Amino acid sequence: MSSDQSLIREALAAARLAGPRDVPIGAVVYGPDGTELARAANAREELGDPTAHAEILALRAAAARLGDGWRLENCTLAVTVEPCTMCAGAIVMARVGLLVFGAWEPKTGAVGSLWDVVRDRRLTHRPQVRGGVLAAECAAPLEEFFARQR
């Protein structure tokens, strides 16, 4: 669990890169050897792009860095919050080997809360999943962000 915690702590650092209008969610992709390939924060508001979730941006950058196609097999994605349906689908399609996430998201989560896209047996790829890592620590920036919005 301590290595999962280290991964999530780096995702929390990435979340701090989110602009003031973007929900502070961070994602980091690690290669098969454990080296960091990419990190990103949500940037939907900053970029005016509905797909600019931290996971999507990090997956795109990691694939570009690997330079040998879109498959991220044997890579690990660490993200501060349970991915939504779009991001869960992208994780499956990118063939990510392991997904580690922090806070559960009961309203939009697609890795067990609302749906379980990544473990759907009808799909051709199913990553390993470890959720709830440092959940309270990952939920805190979200709570602060939404409290400021009210």
Side-chain angles (χ1 to χ4, degrees), residues 35-55:
T35 60
E36 182 180 313
L37 297 175
R39 71 174 50 212
N42 269 356
R44 286 189 318 172
E45 299 298 331
E46 178 183 331
L47 298 176
D49 178 354
T51 68
H53 288 201
E55 298 96 320

Side-chain angles (χ1 to χ4, degrees), residues 124-147:
T124 58
H125 177 76
R126 289 179 299 283
Q128 293 180 40
V129 176
R130 294 198 283 266
V133 178
L134 300 176
E137 211 171 311
C138 289
L142 298 174
E143 291 167 1
E144 293 167 14
F145 175 82
F146 288 111

Side-chain angles (χ1 to χ4, degrees), residues 31-105:
D33 63 356
T35 60
E36 182 180 313
L37 297 175
R39 71 174 50 212
N42 269 356
R44 286 189 318 172
E45 299 298 331
E46 178 183 331
L47 298 176
D49 178 354
T51 68
H53 288 201
E55 298 96 320
I56 301 294
L57 297 173
L59 291 172
R60 286 178 185 160
R65 180 160 178 206
L66 286 176
D68 59 355
W70 49 266
R71 289 175 183 84
L72 298 177
E73 295 167 323
N74 302 314
C75 290
T76 297
L77 172 65
V79 61
T80 56
V81 178
E82 178 184 5
C84 69
T85 306
M86 176 183 67
C87 293
I91 290 163
V92 170
M93 298 308 291
R95 307 239 187 324
V96 169
L98 172 63
L99 167 64
V100 180
F101 70 87
W104 292 93
E105 178 43 75

